[in-house]
Amino acid sequence: MMKEKKVPTAVIQRMPRYYRYLGDLLERGIARVSSAQLSRRMGITASQIRQDLNHFGGFGQQGYGYNVEVLYNEIGRILGQDQEYSVIVIGAGNLGQAVSKYTNFNKRGYKVTALFDSNPALAGTTVAGYPVFDARELPDYLKENHTDIAVLTIPKAGAAETAKILTDGGVQAIWNFASIDLDLPDDKAVVVNVHLSDSLRVLSYKLRELRSEENPEED
Ligand code: NAI
């Protein structure tokens, strides 16, 4: 695959949002959009939007704006949305089940194939129609089933060990919900950590701020 120019992480992190907004416009049959309109809808300055989108070839045209469909497809391609991914979920507890049951991931090309759990009582059951296997079967499973992405929804105690089994088995991407920083070989695997509690704390920070603006004397 041809190496693309490295795009700054901050830009990449805004991409899924652009993708969502553009998808929304497409659904509403809107064919083009200016950076000013996107700016109003998204609360990002127009110049930031132009700068961001320039990383992807600058598809905007003076006086026309952006072709929504072209931009949507291009951002989708950059985000890897033009492919399907086989996904396994490690840890078939509350969170693992919730992720597996969320059918929109499936629609977007992330195809769950199986779950794994260290609790033998769960082996042989199904979650949303997907089989749950004993975690000890993971190395063999990976030998026989090409797997793109593993979702780690287990406590942090077993996370590092499991990540090693996954990368040794050829899994190159881990969506990590365990509250531990995984040390993966850079050239072999990528990881994105998800901390729902971080975003919840940002919410309570904002709530505190809002309330102190309402009642300044209390702060
Ligand atoms: P849970 O207790 O319902 O499920 C955990 C499952 O993992 C259990 O079925 C257990 O048998 C299994 N398990 C434990 N060690 C394993 C291993 N080494 N290999 C395979 N399976 C293993 O817990 P829940 O609510 O699903 O949460 C899972 C983890 O995710 C917890 O550690 C929790 O702290 C974390 N979490 C993280 C969030 C985030 O935003 N990052 C949000 C919620 C939970």
Side-chain angles (χ1 to χ4, degrees):
M1 201 195 299
M2 208 171 79
K3 265 271 189 253
E4 286 176 13
K5 225 168 75 208
K6 199 109 178 122
V7 177
T9 309
V11 181
I12 299 289
Q13 277 170 346
R14 283 192 286 273
M15 284 295 122
R17 230 181 125 218
Y18 286 122
Y19 191 65
R20 254 191 301 119
Y21 272 77
L22 291 164
D24 203 40
L25 294 176
L26 254 190
E27 256 173 35
R28 291 164 41 209
I30 296 170
R32 58 174 163 146
V33 66
S34 66
S35 50
Q37 287 165 324
L38 268 180
S39 161
R40 274 193 298 278
R41 292 176 59 90
M42 298 184 66
I44 303 178
T45 64
S47 83
Q48 175 84 79
I49 290 175
R50 284 193 296 271
Q51 252 183 51
D52 282 355
L53 300 182
N54 269 345
H55 285 285
F56 308 109
F59 302 100
Q61 276 171 37
Q62 195 79 43
Y64 177 86
Y66 296 94
N67 178 316
V68 172
E69 191 173 4
V70 169
L71 191 56
Y72 177 80
N73 288 335
E74 181 59 11
I75 292 179
R77 188 189 65 76
I78 290 159
L79 292 173
Q81 296 294 294
D82 55 346
Q83 294 172 34
E84 285 200 345
Y85 301 93
S86 50
V87 178
I88 56 171
V89 177
I90 318 294
N94 291 308
L95 194 54
Q97 291 195 28
V99 169
S100 307
K101 286 176 183 165
Y102 185 55
T103 50
N104 274 348
F105 291 143
N106 199 42
K107 277 192 226 138
R108 290 172 192 150
Y110 303 91
K111 308 283 181 196
V112 173
T113 54
L115 294 85
F116 291 84
D117 202 287
S118 57
N119 178 355
L122 292 177
T125 63
T126 60
V127 172
Y130 308 117
V132 182
F133 297 123
D134 190 309
R136 285 170 300 189
E137 293 174 27
L138 184 56
D140 282 343
Y141 179 90
L142 293 175
K143 276 184 206 144
E144 277 153 35
N145 301 276
H146 171 80
T147 302
D148 297 302
I149 298 176
V151 186
L152 261 195
T153 47
I154 57 175
K156 62 178 165 194
E161 190 191 337
T162 303
K164 171 98 174 65
I165 295 171
L166 290 166
T167 52
D168 284 351
V171 176
Q172 290 181 295
I174 297 182
W175 201 26
N176 176 37
F177 286 81
S179 48
I180 181 173
D181 288 325
L182 298 174
D183 192 16
L184 301 177
D186 277 353
D187 52 336
K188 265 175 72 186
V190 289
V191 61
V192 167
N193 299 306
V194 186
H195 297 294
L196 294 182
S197 49
D198 286 3
S199 109
L200 191 55
R201 285 181 181 126
V202 170
L203 182 66
S204 57
Y205 167 82
K206 288 186 173 181
L207 180 61
R208 205 183 119 247
E209 232 184 10
L210 174 72
R211 287 179 174 164
S212 72
E213 276 162 21
E214 284 171 353
N215 305 298
E217 70 281 2
E218 283 178 17
D219 220 24

